[in-house]
Amino acid sequence: MSSSTYTVYYGSLVTPKTLTSYDASLHALVAVNSHGVIDWVVYDVQDSLVQTTLLEKGCPDAEVVELKDGQFMMPGFVDTHTHAPQLPNIGSGYQYELLEWLKQVTFPMEAKFSNVEFARKTYSSVVHRIINQGTTTCCYYGTLHLDATKELANIVHSLGQRAFVGKCNMDRNSETYYVEPSWQSSVTDTRALISHIQNLESGSSGIPLVKPILTPRFAISCSDQLLSSLGELAKSNPSLHIQTHISENLSEIQYTRDLFPKCKSYADVYDSFGLLRDNTVLAHAVHLSKEEIELVANRKAGISHCPTSNFNLNSGVAPIGKYLDRGIKVGLGTDVSGGYFPSILNSVRNASIASKIIAMQNRGQNDNQGGRGGFANDQLSIATLLYLATLGGAEVCAIDQEVGSLVPGKSFDAIVADVRDTAGNPALWSIDAETHDLTGKDALEGMLQRFLFCGDDRNISDVFVQGRRIGGKSN
Ligand code: GUN
Ligand code: FE
C-alpha cells in the first residue's frame, strides 16, 4: 500500500486489553489505512522519533494528525441496547415499573412512528445525538413499523455509524393501537427489513456498517407461532443477530412463566425457540436463576447491562460480577428511555454504582469459584468499566474481531476524548496544565477516570467509524 493512503494519529492512547487491564501510552502512533483499518500501532514514540518511525514503517509521507495535550484516543463506545423511538420520552414516567411504564408512556410514543415523516425527523436528530456521545456501534430497536424502521436504517447508514437495526416483533399482549395484526405479517415485515438493510451499500472497506437484527421485543409480546418462525429464520441465517429483553422485572418474569408453562424458565423460552445463541444480545438479565446463567453461558449469548434503566424502573441490580465470573460476555446499554440518557458514559457510572451496591451487600463474602473468578462481590474497576463500554460490547455483538479496541487489524472506530478545561465542561474545570500534570503516564490514567465519570459530549472532539470522522464536538 502506498504511504499516502495512511492517516497516522499521534498522541495519547488508551485501549482495553483484558477485563482487568488496559494499555495506556502518552505518545502512540496509530496508522489507519484507506479502508479505515488500523495497520499498525507503536507506543511511546517521542516527538523527535516520529519521522524515523514513519520511515521505518515505509510511509514517510503519511498524513500525521497530532492530538493536543489533554486529548487521548480510545475505542468508541458500543451501546448494546437502546430504543431509538423512545428518545423523545427521556426523563418521563419513572414513577412506573416496567409493564405499566410500557403501557402508559412507551407504547403511546412508539405508536407515533406510524407516521414516516415524523419518524424521519425524529430519527435524524436521535442518531446525530447518539453519535456525538461517542457511540460508534449501536444496537437499535425501532418500533413495530416497517417503513419507519427502514428510515432509521437509512439515517444510520447515511450518517456512517456502525449499527444493528431491528423492527420490534410484537403480535400480542399490547394495546390495540400498537400491536401487529398477525404473526405472519410480523414475519413478512421482518424479512422485508432484512433485505432492505442488506441492500444498503457497504462502506469503503466493503464491510456493511449497518446490519439487520431480529428483535422479538420480549417473550410476552410474541405468540408461539411468531417465536417459532423467527427461530426458523435465525436457523437458516446463522450470522443474523438477535436481540431481546430478558428477566428485567419480577412481574414480567411471572407473566412470562404464565404464558409459557411448558418452559423451564424465561431463558428457556428463547432457547426452546432457537433464539439463544452466540450472536444473541439479552438486555437486562437482572434476575436470572442459576440454571438460566448456565444456559446463557453454554449458548454463548451476551448480556447487555443497562443499569440506569434498572435503577429508574425499579427493576433491580443485575449481578454482573457473577456473570463475568461465569465467563458470560457482558456489554453496556443505555436502554433509552428506561435509561434517561443516550450516552454510555452514563451507563459506565451507573454500572459502577450498581457494582458497589452489590459489593456493600456482600461485604466479606467470597463466592468467586470457577470461571474467570474475582468479580462477583467486588466493585467494577476502571479497567473493567472501560472494557464493558468498548470491547465487552463488541463481544456481545459478536464483532470483537472487527472493533472494540485500537489494535492492528481492527477498524478505526474511535473517539478523541478531550479533558482540557477549554472543552467547556465545568465538571472537569480543574484539569489544566497548572493544576494537573498532564505529562506523566499516571496523568493519562487519571484523565481516563475523570472522562469516564465526569465527561460528556463536550469532551468528545471526534468520533470515527471505519476511519471516517462522523461526529464530535465541532459537529
Ligand atoms: N421490555 C419490553 N419492551 C421494553 C422496552 O421498551 N424497554 C425496556 N426497558 N424493557 C422492555
Ligand atoms: Fe429495552
Side-chain angles (χ1 to χ4, degrees), residues 224-246:
D224 285 45
Q225 296 97 317
L226 179 51
L227 289 173
S228 114
S229 307
L230 295 176
E232 292 291 315
L233 196 53
K235 195 172 168 194
S236 56
N237 296 276
S239 63
L240 184 58
H241 286 66
I242 303 164
Q243 60 182 354
T244 190
H245 295 86
I246 195 167

Side-chain angles (χ1 to χ4, degrees), residues 111-419:
K112 294 187 183 171
F113 288 74
S114 60
N115 178 333
V116 181
E117 202 40 53
F118 174 76
R120 189 174 301 135
K121 261 203 227 146
T122 310
Y123 284 151
S124 170
S125 77
V126 163
V127 178
H128 263 117
R129 187 157 177 208
I130 294 176
I131 289 172
N132 287 330
Q133 301 295 336
T135 299
T136 48
T137 297
C138 193
C139 294
Y140 287 108
Y141 284 56
T143 57
L144 59 72
H145 311 102
L146 172 62
D147 289 340
T149 312
K150 280 185 183 171
E151 281 304 325
L152 174 59
N154 295 348
I155 288 163
V156 174
H157 177 66
S158 70
L159 295 179
Q161 191 183 35
R162 193 181 303 278
F164 296 89
V165 177
K167 187 203 85 64
C168 285
N169 298 106
M170 41 191 302
D171 69 336
R172 67 166 179 176
N173 296 324
S174 184
E175 302 301 296
T176 48
Y177 65 85
Y178 191 58
V179 65
E180 292 178 294
S182 67
W183 65 268
Q184 291 95 334
S185 70
S186 182
V187 175
T188 308
D189 286 357
T190 300
R191 287 180 178 278
L193 181 69
I194 294 171
S195 353
H196 176 81
I197 294 176
Q198 287 175 340
N199 284 326
L200 295 170
E201 54 183 87
S202 301
S204 60
S205 62
I207 301 164
L209 295 178
V210 185
K211 291 185 183 162
I213 183 164
L214 289 181
T215 307
R217 185 173 198 126
F218 59 164
I220 292 173
S221 73
C222 299
S223 64
D224 285 45
Q225 296 97 317
L226 179 51
L227 289 173
S228 114
S229 307
L230 295 176
E232 292 291 315
L233 196 53
K235 195 172 168 194
S236 56
N237 296 276
S239 63
L240 184 58
H241 286 66
I242 303 164
Q243 60 182 354
T244 190
H245 295 86
I246 195 167
S247 290
E248 176 176 0
N249 163 288
L250 296 176
S251 309
E252 170 216 17
I253 295 169
Q254 188 54 53
Y255 193 1
T256 306
R257 299 198 73 115
D258 294 345
L259 289 169
F260 298 92
K262 291 199 193 115
C263 293
K264 290 196 273 296
S265 64
Y266 198 156
D268 186 44
V269 175
Y270 296 134
D271 192 49
S272 56
F273 288 101
L275 295 167
L276 210 55
R277 59 187 194 181
D278 63 2
N279 52 6
T280 302
V281 182
L282 297 167
H284 301 285
V286 178
H287 306 284
L288 295 183
S289 67
K290 264 192 175 153
E291 292 72 26
E292 286 179 299
I293 296 174
E294 282 311 300
L295 182 56
V296 169
N298 290 333
R299 296 289 180 265
K300 301 186 168 51
I303 288 175
S304 170
H305 179 33
C306 304
T308 314
S309 169
N310 295 339
F311 286 134
N312 265 344
L313 298 180
N314 212 11
S315 302
V317 184
I320 289 309
K322 213 196 266 188
Y323 302 156
L324 293 175
D325 281 346
R326 185 57 189 82
I328 294 175
K329 301 178 290 183
V330 179
L332 298 180
T334 56
D335 191 32
V336 166
S337 65
Y340 52 73
F341 207 68
S343 161
I344 285 295
L345 287 169
N346 176 273
S347 305
V348 163
R349 291 158 204 169
N350 283 313
S352 170
I353 292 173
S355 73
K356 286 178 183 178
I357 291 173
I358 291 182
M360 286 173 204
Q361 286 169 342
N362 300 303
R363 243 188 250 283
Q365 286 184 39
N366 183 1
D367 62 358
N368 303 326
Q369 335 108 344
R372 296 186 267 217
F375 293 98
N377 293 322
D378 216 346
Q379 65 190 55
L380 299 175
S381 66
I382 291 295
T384 309
L385 292 167
L386 171 68
Y387 191 95
L388 298 185
T390 56
L391 192 48
E395 287 173 354
V396 167
C397 299
I399 52 170
D400 51 304
Q401 296 305 308
E402 291 115 68
V403 296
S405 52
L406 300 181
V407 297
K410 290 197 185 185
S411 299
F412 189 65
D413 281 25
I415 60 177
V416 175
D418 184 342
V419 296

